[in-house]
Amino acid sequence: DRLEEGSPLRWWFDTHYRMTDDANGFNQSVIRPGLGYALNQDHVLWSGYAWVRTEPVGLGEVFDEHRFWQQWTYAPSFNRWSFIHRSRLEERWLEAGDDVGLRWRQFARAQYNLTDTPQWSLIAWDEVFFHLNDTDWGARAGFDQNRAFLGVGFKRSPEDRVRFEIGYLNQFLYRRGGTDLMNHLVSLYVFF
């Protein structure tokens, strides 16, 4: 959103609370603020920080991660369609090691606003993650994970600043030398 009407400056804030199987307990939380500069209506450059707290399933050892991130977003709209393309670079520090991990995230999203019920929309997106280097805390250069989402969105009116999305999220985690994981998740998002 704009810091001041007419200003090219933008602000970003997202927070996540992720639970384990069947919502039995805490797994991960994310707090991610940032600032952006709009090059024009569709292109914005961003930079920010993220604090991530994780309790790995079955291990019980909570650890913190710190990330600096930079990204470019491109968000064109055509008639009832809107799109978002995001390229993000993250510099990651974990308590478990001394190395800085570099990770690239590529995100693409499409939304179609329904004609007969304009409050509702159909949404699909995909995000792929790549580690760019090996670290002493376990990251290995190459493909890391993929997240794919299919769902619906609801917004009371086009002017409303609150939007809800709910749907199916498939998360595939590649484990080099181990067993890959595939998580099937119900995902709920609230946007302001």
Side-chain angles (χ1 to χ4, degrees):
D1 209 347
R2 295 185 184 109
L3 287 176
E4 194 176 301
E5 194 63 36
S7 170
L9 296 179
R10 304 287 187 266
W11 60 273
W12 177 293
F13 183 79
D14 68 284
T15 184
H16 305 249
Y17 185 82
R18 298 174 178 154
M19 296 179 281
T20 59
D21 290 341
D22 300 321
N24 285 329
F26 172 78
N27 174 247
Q28 189 175 67
S29 61
V30 179
I31 297 174
R32 186 176 12 239
L35 291 174
Y37 184 83
L39 302 174
N40 59 37
Q41 181 178 341
D42 296 335
H43 297 269
V44 182
L45 299 176
W46 299 90
S47 185
Y49 166 79
W51 173 64
V52 182
R53 173 155 281 194
T54 304
E55 183 175 334
V57 176
L59 299 178
E61 296 178 21
V62 176
F63 66 88
D64 291 329
E65 176 184 341
H66 304 276
R67 301 177 189 169
F68 288 104
W69 56 272
Q70 305 79 43
Q71 71 183 26
W72 162 69
T73 56
Y74 174 55
S77 295
F78 307 99
N79 298 322
R80 295 193 166 277
W81 288 94
S82 59
F83 302 92
I84 297 174
H85 173 84
R86 181 183 72 214
S87 299
R88 178 183 290 168
L89 176 65
E90 296 175 324
E91 298 84 29
R92 305 170 65 207
W93 290 267
L94 271 67
E95 293 177 339
D98 296 318
D99 292 342
V100 175
L102 301 176
R103 184 166 69 179
W104 185 260
R105 296 171 63 165
Q106 199 65 50
F107 176 87
R109 180 183 189 275
Q111 175 176 325
Y112 179 76
N113 296 314
L114 299 174
T115 306
D116 296 333
T117 52
Q119 314 89 306
W120 293 94
S121 57
L122 303 176
I123 299 161
W125 58 258
D126 189 75
E127 184 173 23
V128 64
F129 298 63
F130 295 95
H131 289 295
L132 301 179
N133 64 326
D134 294 345
T135 66
D136 60 359
W137 44 264
R140 296 292 168 253
F143 175 73
D144 176 37
Q145 65 176 284
N146 191 81
R147 296 178 185 168
F149 175 84
L150 289 173
V152 296
F154 177 79
K155 191 174 182 180
R156 284 185 292 183
S157 71
E159 298 78 29
D160 199 341
R161 298 184 64 94
V162 178
R163 185 177 80 246
F164 299 91
E165 296 178 4
I166 189 168
Y168 167 72
L169 176 63
N170 179 280
Q171 180 187 37
F172 174 78
L173 300 160
Y174 176 65
R175 298 292 179 245
R176 184 172 289 132
T179 303
D180 297 338
L181 298 174
M182 184 171 294
N183 296 315
H184 304 280
L185 308 161
V186 172
S187 196
L188 171 65
Y189 302 94
V190 181
F191 298 91
F192 299 96

